[in-house]
Amino acid sequence: MKIFIKKTYEELSKEAAEIVKKAIQAKPNLVLGLASGGTPQGCYQELSRMHKEEGLDFSQVICFSLDEYLELSFNDPNSYYHFYRENLLNHINIQFRNIHFPDGLVDNPTEFSAEYDKKIKEAGGIDLQLLGIGRDGHLGFNEPGTPLDARTHLAKLTNQTIEDNARFFGKKEYVPKFVITIGPQTIFEVKKILLLASGGNKADAVAKFIEGSITPQITASILQKHPDTIVILDEAAASKLKGKY
Ligand code: PGA
């Protein structure tokens, strides 16, 4: 893992967007894995600006979403599909047919999950995956205890994640309990990973996944074995690391 520590969230977001930009310039039909949540929003804003002001071209980019809430339709304002549209997709020239999402209304999530993995393989695999990290060390919605060899699957949110995500829903009770998420193994197979973490509330999870042991209790720890992972932190998120980076 290569670890970079930036002073602020703004610097972190700009650095992340630069890495995505360079990847698209090197491979215009990049297969890009998108992450939801508050952390990548600054990066998406910067990518939208790069498209508008610098002509960064997304016309051949293919994207896959990391996860989606079960029982929310694409049009639901709390669905991740809606999130990505608002934060990135509506602001760039990506083609609709190149956007892939788990369907929150699917009848058979298990069958759908296997199909989703197949679709990723058929696209040639994900070239670059953006990731955040949960306070419990989760990647995607791979909560503590998820087997590290799990692929895309139906997952149950922990209470802590429900509480963390209640800010998007207004009330804890409104947060769906289940999601379809890409699994740790699916993430491990991505060619290049770009994980972002910002804020003191992520400092414990960051220290554990970088410096602790590799364990299903911290699913992000699987990245210690990944051959090409970049981690960008702000100073607050890096504050509990013991090593020098
Ligand atoms: P956040 O979520 O970016 O909203 O903090 C990250 C995550 O849960 O993976």
Side-chain angles (χ1 to χ4, degrees), residues 36-40 131-135 138-141 161 165 167-168 201-202:
S36 52
T39 312
L131 290 173
I133 184 170
R135 282 195 298 143
H138 69 214
L139 283 188
F141 278 114
T161 300
N165 290 1
R167 69 193 196 274
F168 297 112
N201 63 342
K202 297 290 173 70

Side-chain angles (χ1 to χ4, degrees), residues 147-163:
L148 294 179
D149 61 357
R151 308 191 65 89
T152 303
H153 63 283
L154 179 68
K156 192 170 191 296
L157 270 56
T158 59
N159 216 13
Q160 188 179 73
T161 300
I162 290 174
E163 275 167 19

